[in-house]
Amino acid sequence: MNSSIVRQNFLDFFRNKGHEVVPSAAMVVKNDPTLMFTNAGMNQFKDIFLDNAPVKFKRIANTQKCLRVSGKHNDLEEVGHDGYHHTMFEMLGNWSFGDYFKQEAIQWAWEFLTDVMKIDKERIYVTIFEGDQSEGLDRDLEAYNYWNKLIDENRILPGNKKDNFWEMGDSGPCGPCSEIHVDIRPDVERKALDGKMLVNKGNPRVIEIWNLVFIQYNRRVSGELELLKNKHVDTGMGFERLCMVLQNKSSNYDTDIFQPIIQEIASLTRIDYGKSENTDVAMRVVADHLRAVAFAIADGQLPSNAKAGYVIRRILRRAVRYNYTFLEQNKPVIYKLMPALLSTMGEAFPELKSQWQLIEKVIYEEEQAFLHTLETGDKRLKESINTLKNEKKNALSGKIAFELYDTYGFPLDLTELILKENNLAVNRQEFDQAMTEQRNRSKSAAAVESADWVMVRPDGSQGEFVGYDRLHAEVRICRFRKLKTKDKQFFHLVLDQTPFYAESGGQVGDTGYLDDGEEKIRITNTFKEHGLIIHVAEKLPQDVSQVFEAVVSGKARRETANNHTATHLLHHALREVLGKHVEQKGSLVNADYLRFDFLHYQKMTEDEITAVEILVNQKIREGIERKELRETSMEEAREMGAMALFGEKYRDRVRVIQFGDSVELCGGTHVDSTSQIGLFKILSESSIAAGVRRIEAITGGKAEAWYRNLEKKMNSVEQLLNSPQDVKKAVETLIEEKSSLQKQVERYAREATHALKEDLLKKVHKAGDYNLISAVLENTIGDPGIIRDVAYQLRGEVGDLFLVIGAVVGDKPHLAVMIHDNLIRDKKLHAGEIIKTAAREMEGGGGGQAFFATAGGKNAAKLEKAVGKAVEMFRKAVEEE
RNA sequence: GGGGAAUUAGCUCAGUUGGCUAGAGCGAUUGCAUGGCAUGCAAUAGGUCAGGGGUUCGACUCCCCUAUUCUCCA
């Protein structure tokens, strides 16, 4: 059965059972600081499980793009070595929020697998939670009984807490689960050994395909479990595995989801898939990682050097590394696989299709950049290998291996591989130690201790955001919790209603204070977590149960609104000036400035930037009133021509902000009329990634100050130039004059040097077989470089020379000694040594090379003495013969 | 959020305990050779050594601060 039909069958099946089918949420998570990527189907429903959001549909089904590359689930290093690990995969799920529970979940799962998918019942095994004494939990008899009606009791296996008790994290909703396993071994093997012996034993042919989670408890920070009022069902079935079973394959990578990509890799590298284990692993790695990276970019997450973007970069790099080592590709090739990926997934995921050009471009540039990193590391490693060989050692210090990895991004396994080719190894113990140190440093810096929520009001639930209309409100605290990091403690507050805007859509969170009439509690930030609006406070009020006046910092809010509305106008103007391909890729809006990242493939010209600025300022002067639809449907918003952003969570009600022709879906705060912005000025336009450009701009008072500053600078320049008619020409003239004067000065300096040289040539004395020049210059000299130049010239003109020159530079004595090579060789003279001794005479120090050295001192009166000392040392050495 | 590193000519990079009058390759310009081209030969230009402060007789080199980029951990 073709994979797209499998997907469709699943969704149809549950739609017929009264489920609302919703689209996959973005793989890149916004508005949840505890998670970077969607790593399970339930992520987008977390708010509901935590009771922070109302239930809109009691039954939902979907297929969810998931990425497991960080945190609790990290499968990255496993990918490729077997047939079933992936970084990115699809999770098919059906959900009940306080509606049906174990009976229907089990019944329907069975029906779908055996009736619709026609999987052989003799190959299916299920597990149920066996109970756990330490938690005081009994065997999940309920689930057992429902299963027993459908399947032979020999096929119902008990499972321990690790496999059969599901938890979201250290605290939060949790409950027992029931897994469905399929035995896909050939009949001969199945006869020889009963499949139930292999369930959850890591056999690649006896695999879990579906996990039914029955959420009935909440775990507190203390570890205690409490029963939930509303019980939920959360199921997840690995789409790729299901396809493997249905297509009678022994690996996910042999299904029609991956084969087109793998075959394309084979044809590009001219290596057949199945030829050898190493190249097979590499091909699977490349195919898997391409999928993950392409979807991440389509969801708006570009590779970068920090956080989520860095994780994406690392996935791609792992693919490049395998490509480089095992498929021997040292030029970018992964980007060439995009058409193959589109052919398998482009239909089901339109975002992939609409952004493929960007994805291809970004992957190409990343490949190239990392290949360069590898080259640099390779060079450094070869240097170390040479040193090792010279020193006749056979192990590379772990410190150096770690430095290669930590600082230059050169992978350890590649280091080991190259060393092995040279019969060398890495000192792993040292490496691991350095790694541990690195980890500990990070942990101690990032550790945040968080306590349980304390419920002040019984239900602890919050009210709405009222900040679109008001900047202050009467509020009560619903709940709070204490947090502690290494060097400070603070509090999170949830209010019954709030005027504070929580960080979202690029706009920063509000600041301000809570006032109880006696003291003001500062609110330093506001953000959303699992649907809660959280206010960060420096301390807790004396009495948390009273009523407070919540006040948002108005100035910051107004300036932020200026920048946010200006961002919309900018977005619209860019589309006018550059074309409709311009699409938002990210933005930052705070009180100081705005930053807008967008798709565009060339650097903007000066004229384009000016045109955009003019257009935005025009709109500002037109004083366009804001039109706001707070609760409208997605369809209506689309009809209005709203530009929807990437990564929007599925919602049926949306907010639309309109300023004339600019219509956007946006939750942020805006000005009433564009005229409030006052003025708009672009400060910079630059590139942040392949195909993505960034504009930074300022508005209002900040823009005004910028122009005032410019005027001031201009005025002061004009004043200096005696207010010429044409400033540019006046400066050009100055520059020309300066360079011609500089040339003259250089000519005079050359002449002076020449004269000085001639002068010194007259002072050549014979001293034995050698020529001696010693002199104290009468005139002070501005630049010691002149003495150096003369010394070097004399060295070329006078053979067997010993030269010592003293001069006053500024008001300090300066000494230079130049010795000819054969003097150094024959008499073991060293200019640096001589000058050190001589400089002591004038209370100074110095040094240099054997043939030329300089020194300075403090006592100019003793200059002559110092020169004399140098000469004396020379004579002594020469006469010693 | 924390650690490490880098920033030198238009580009890619050397510069080894502080002192070699800052270099190489590619590119650019000019000239020469060849019927022409690929190319070859020769010469020339091009540098606030990221920016700012400090230590020193002397800093590309050592120390501090800032910016940007890379990289690892979380």
Side-chain angles (χ1 to χ4, degrees):
Chain A
M1 196 184 284
N2 170 308
S3 60
S4 27
I5 294 173
V6 173
R7 189 189 288 118
Q8 199 53 53
N9 272 336
F10 177 86
L11 298 176
D12 289 344
F13 178 84
F14 282 100
R15 188 182 285 123
N16 291 334
K17 304 279 184 202
H19 290 64
E20 178 77 15
V21 172
V22 303
S24 171
M27 207 164 63
V28 183
V29 174
K30 313 250 172 206
N31 296 336
D32 183 352
T34 62
L35 201 61
M36 282 196 280
F37 302 104
T38 298
N39 61 7
M42 55 78 62
N43 287 156
Q44 70 163 322
F45 305 114
K46 238 166 149 179
D47 306 356
I48 299 177
F49 287 129
L50 289 166
D51 238 357
N52 294 335
V55 175
K56 283 199 190 101
F57 302 105
K58 287 188 158 185
R59 299 175 179 189
I60 283 181
N62 69 349
T63 174
Q64 174 65 49
K65 300 172 275 185
C66 298
L67 194 63
R68 290 197 170 168
V69 284
S70 59
K72 193 173 102 181
H73 297 289
N74 188 349
D75 293 342
L76 184 58
E77 289 305 321
E78 316 292 336
V79 171
H81 296 291
D82 54 41
Y84 53 92
H85 274 98
H86 298 291
T87 51
M88 186 212 149
F89 59 91
E90 278 182 68
M91 190 84 106
L92 302 170
N94 56 295
W95 315 83
S96 156
F97 302 113
D99 191 31
Y100 64 83
F101 205 46
K102 296 181 189 176
Q103 182 179 5
E104 293 86 341
I106 288 172
Q107 167 65 37
W108 292 338
W110 180 255
E111 191 182 328
F112 179 72
L113 291 179
T114 58
D115 273 10
V116 185
M117 292 291 110
K118 308 283 184 215
I119 295 177
D120 181 359
K121 293 175 187 173
E122 297 300 307
R123 290 177 179 269
I124 296 180
Y125 297 88
V126 301
T127 65
I128 58 136
F129 180 49
E130 66 185 1
D132 188 283
Q133 275 200 330
S134 63
E135 301 272 9
L137 293 172
D138 290 333
R139 180 160 182 250
D140 191 355
L141 203 62
E142 221 183 330
Y144 179 87
N145 288 335
Y146 292 129
W147 274 122
N148 206 9
K149 291 178 187 162
L150 304 166
I151 191 170
D152 187 80
E153 61 181 342
N154 285 326
R155 296 181 171 274
I156 308 173
L157 312 168
N160 58 20
K161 191 173 131 191
K162 180 176 149 280
D163 288 325
N164 281 77
F165 194 85
W166 183 90
E167 307 211 35
M168 188 167 78
D170 295 337
S171 61
C174 56
C177 58
S178 179
E179 301 164 340
I180 303 174
H181 296 253
V182 180
D183 183 352
I184 56 170
R185 292 175 302 157
D187 292 342
V188 191
E189 283 181 41
R190 283 173 55 217
K191 273 197 189 112
L193 181 65
D194 191 348
K196 76 178 184 189
M197 306 302 290
L198 297 172
V199 166
N200 274 333
K201 295 283 186 293
N203 188 306
R205 305 260 177 117
V206 181
I207 53 167
E208 174 193 342
I209 60 167
W210 206 342
N211 192 4
L212 315 177
V213 180
F214 310 119
I215 294 177
Q216 56 193 50
Y217 302 108
N218 178 47
R219 190 183 289 282
R220 304 175 54 109
V221 174
S222 62
E224 258 176 282
L225 291 174
E226 56 190 12
L227 262 177
L228 284 175
K229 239 183 357 213
N230 289 320
K231 291 173 183 158
H232 312 293
V233 172
D234 155 9
T235 84
M237 174 155 56
F239 173 64
E240 291 78 5
R241 285 189 183 185
L242 179 63
C243 290
M244 169 181 91
V245 171
L246 296 173
Q247 294 174 11
N248 288 320
K249 305 290 186 191
S250 54
S251 153
N252 295 355
Y253 292 93
D254 291 339
T255 65
D256 66 342
I257 305 170
F258 286 98
Q259 272 304 308
I261 304 172
I262 287 179
Q263 289 310 324
E264 183 66 16
I265 299 170
S267 107
L268 285 171
T269 57
R270 296 180 184 185
I271 301 171
D272 289 336
Y273 184 65
K275 189 182 133 206
S276 88
E277 182 58 18
N278 274 346
T279 53
D280 285 359
V281 169
M283 286 187 201
R284 290 194 287 264
V285 165
V286 172
D288 175 275
H289 294 359
L290 165 72
R291 244 165 56 111
V293 171
F295 273 93
I297 296 172
D299 275 355
Q301 184 58 64
L302 295 164
S304 74
N305 64 350
K307 315 227 169 212
Y310 185 60
V311 175
I312 299 305
R313 173 171 281 174
R314 279 195 34 198
I315 299 172
L316 184 54
R317 291 192 163 190
R318 187 162 180 271
V320 175
R321 177 155 52 96
Y322 275 86
N323 215 358
Y324 174 84
T325 309
F326 300 107
L327 304 178
E328 297 179 0
Q329 301 296 311
N330 52 16
K331 293 222 171 68
V333 286
I334 298 173
Y335 76 101
K336 290 182 186 164
L337 300 168
M338 272 310 287
L341 178 63
L342 279 175
S343 75
T344 66
M345 302 192 78
E347 290 302 321
F349 298 93
E351 67 268 32
L352 207 58
K353 221 169 192 175
S354 69
Q355 307 228 41
W356 73 272
Q357 277 174 306
L358 172 74
I359 296 169
E360 207 172 83
K361 212 159 174 152
V362 168
I363 292 180
Y364 174 78
E365 299 233 339
E366 281 289 322
E367 281 192 83
Q368 217 168 28
F370 187 53
L371 287 167
H372 185 240
T373 302
L374 288 179
E375 206 179 305
T376 313
D378 193 59
K379 216 161 101 188
R380 293 192 83 90
L381 180 56
K382 296 251 159 76
E383 279 168 22
S384 298
I385 289 175
N386 281 336
T387 327
L388 283 179
K389 284 187 170 164
N390 288 338
E391 292 171 0
K392 305 239 185 296
K393 290 181 183 155
N394 53 21
L396 181 71
S397 118
K399 266 189 183 160
I400 292 179
F402 184 73
E403 190 196 18
L404 276 167
Y405 171 71
D406 182 60
T407 305
Y408 298 97
F410 198 73
L412 177 67
D413 52 3
L414 214 57
T415 302
E416 289 186 313
L417 197 76
I418 294 169
L419 285 173
K420 206 172 157 194
E421 283 166 8
N422 290 278
N423 293 319
L424 298 165
V426 175
N427 183 331
R428 275 300 285 265
Q429 204 191 334
E430 279 175 14
F431 181 90
D432 292 340
Q433 193 192 333
M435 195 76 215
T436 310
E437 279 168 21
Q438 160 93 304
R439 286 218 171 93
N440 291 341
R441 263 200 304 273
S442 300
K443 258 188 199 145
S444 66
V448 178
E449 268 179 61
S450 155
D452 262 326
W453 284 110
V454 177
M455 298 299 172
V456 178
R457 295 163 69 74
D459 61 349
S461 70
Q462 64 173 353
E464 58 178 337
F465 171 62
V466 297
Y468 287 137
D469 306 303
R470 301 182 270 150
L471 292 184
H472 45 87
E474 263 189 16
V475 303
R476 288 182 178 80
I477 297 177
C478 298
R479 52 165 115 171
F480 68 86
R481 70 179 169 195
K482 185 166 142 184
L483 291 102
K484 227 162 87 185
T485 62
K486 206 170 68 181
D487 44 27
K488 62 174 188 237
Q489 71 166 28
F490 53 97
F491 295 87
H492 282 170
L493 311 178
V494 176
L495 307 176
D496 63 342
Q497 61 166 347
T498 179
F500 285 86
Y501 181 82
E503 177 181 348
S504 172
Q507 181 177 332
V508 296
D510 275 336
T511 60
Y513 58 87
L514 298 185
D515 190 351
D516 64 3
E518 280 172 29
E519 71 172 335
K520 288 178 177 173
I521 308 286
R522 258 174 56 90
I523 301 296
T524 55
N525 195 11
T526 312
F527 66 94
K528 273 188 210 162
E529 187 181 294
H530 303 148
L532 293 175
I533 298 174
I534 293 177
H535 305 76
V536 181
E538 287 173 329
K539 58 179 176 180
L540 211 56
Q542 298 279 327
D543 177 7
V544 291
S545 64
Q546 64 180 311
V547 177
F548 298 88
E549 174 81 358
V551 182
V552 172
S553 162
K555 182 165 177 281
R557 173 66 93 72
R558 276 191 301 278
E559 288 171 348
T560 306
N562 281 345
N563 284 334
H564 203 151
T565 303
T567 303
H568 285 203
L569 298 179
L570 169 65
H571 188 180
H572 188 258
L574 284 168
R575 288 169 70 96
E576 291 283 301
V577 173
L578 301 177
K580 297 298 177 205
H581 63 277
V582 167
E583 195 178 305
Q584 177 166 352
K585 275 285 145 196
S587 88
L588 173 73
V589 177
N590 61 31
D592 295 326
Y593 74 113
L594 66 96
R595 202 171 73 193
F596 188 72
D597 301 338
F598 58 99
L599 277 183
H600 183 55
Y601 294 97
Q602 299 100 43
K603 183 172 173 55
M604 283 176 75
T605 63
E606 243 174 81
D607 288 347
E608 284 167 343
I609 292 174
T610 309
V612 167
E613 256 179 23
I614 288 173
L615 209 57
V616 171
N617 280 307
Q618 239 168 38
K619 298 287 177 195
I620 289 172
R621 284 193 302 276
E622 281 172 24
I624 304 166
E625 302 281 319
R626 180 186 74 222
K627 279 192 200 143
E628 178 183 345
L629 289 174
R630 231 170 254 183
E631 290 267 307
T632 187
S633 69
M634 201 70 175
E635 292 73 43
E636 204 176 325
R638 286 231 174 81
E639 269 167 38
M640 291 172 71
M643 288 185 274
L645 301 185
F646 57 84
E648 281 288 319
K649 203 165 163 178
Y650 173 74
R651 282 180 313 188
D652 50 344
R653 310 306 285 173
V654 293
R655 181 165 177 257
V656 176
I657 292 292
Q658 177 173 22
F659 287 96
D661 299 333
S662 152
V663 186
E664 296 201 27
L665 293 187
C666 178
T669 61
H670 288 270
V671 297
D672 297 325
S673 159
T674 57
S675 60
Q676 284 169 26
I677 301 168
L679 187 60
F680 171 82
K681 172 71 194 145
I682 293 176
L683 293 185
S684 72
E685 191 271 351
S686 59
S687 159
I688 56 161
V692 184
R693 308 214 52 94
R694 167 172 293 177
I695 280 182
E696 291 177 300
I698 49 177
T699 61
K702 294 268 184 340
E704 194 187 318
W706 189 90
Y707 279 109
R708 202 160 36 236
N709 191 18
L710 182 72
E711 187 188 20
K712 215 161 132 190
K713 271 195 256 179
M714 194 65 200
N715 280 345
S716 58
V717 169
E718 281 188 348
Q719 271 171 27
L720 284 172
L721 295 169
N722 289 327
S723 307
Q725 290 211 319
D726 187 341
V727 180
K728 188 179 162 213
K729 202 166 172 222
V731 173
E732 275 169 0
T733 313
L734 270 180
I735 291 171
E736 268 168 40
E737 279 176 10
K738 184 217 157 217
S739 80
S740 97
L741 282 172
Q742 200 168 24
K743 275 178 195 153
Q744 269 187 50
V745 168
E746 275 166 20
R747 197 165 66 237
Y748 287 135
R750 265 200 308 277
E751 279 168 18
T753 310
H754 187 74
L756 181 58
K757 190 186 76 184
E758 293 300 320
D759 232 23
L760 290 171
L761 274 173
K762 286 176 196 153
K763 297 188 177 170
V764 178
H765 284 40
K766 272 281 173 200
D769 297 335
Y770 302 100
N771 291 313
L772 168 69
I773 301 177
S774 81
V776 176
L777 305 184
E778 282 161 20
N779 301 324
T780 59
I781 284 179
D783 179 11
I786 293 175
I787 299 176
R788 188 186 58 202
D789 285 347
V790 170
Y792 274 88
Q793 283 177 28
L794 287 169
R795 176 178 175 234
E797 290 177 27
V798 183
D800 303 326
L801 177 67
F802 183 94
L803 167 77
V804 50
I805 306 174
V808 177
V809 179
D811 57 347
K812 284 183 176 163
H814 185 86
L815 209 60
V817 171
M818 171 70 81
I819 311 179
H820 231 256
D821 291 346
N822 49 0
L823 253 162
I824 298 167
R825 194 177 56 236
D826 298 342
K827 302 293 173 195
K828 303 280 180 280
L829 281 178
H830 191 288
E833 298 304 319
I834 292 173
I835 211 155
K836 261 180 206 159
T837 313
R840 261 181 237 129
E841 299 289 331
M842 53 185 200
E843 297 166 36
Q849 309 120 88
F851 76 100
F852 182 70
T854 56
K858 287 177 188 137
N859 194 341
K862 298 279 178 65
L863 185 58
E864 204 148 341
K865 223 175 159 190
V867 171
K869 181 75 184 174
V871 171
E872 183 193 321
M873 287 174 76
F874 162 70
R875 286 194 191 280
K876 214 172 147 198
V878 172
E879 283 161 10
E880 258 175 17
E881 267 186 15

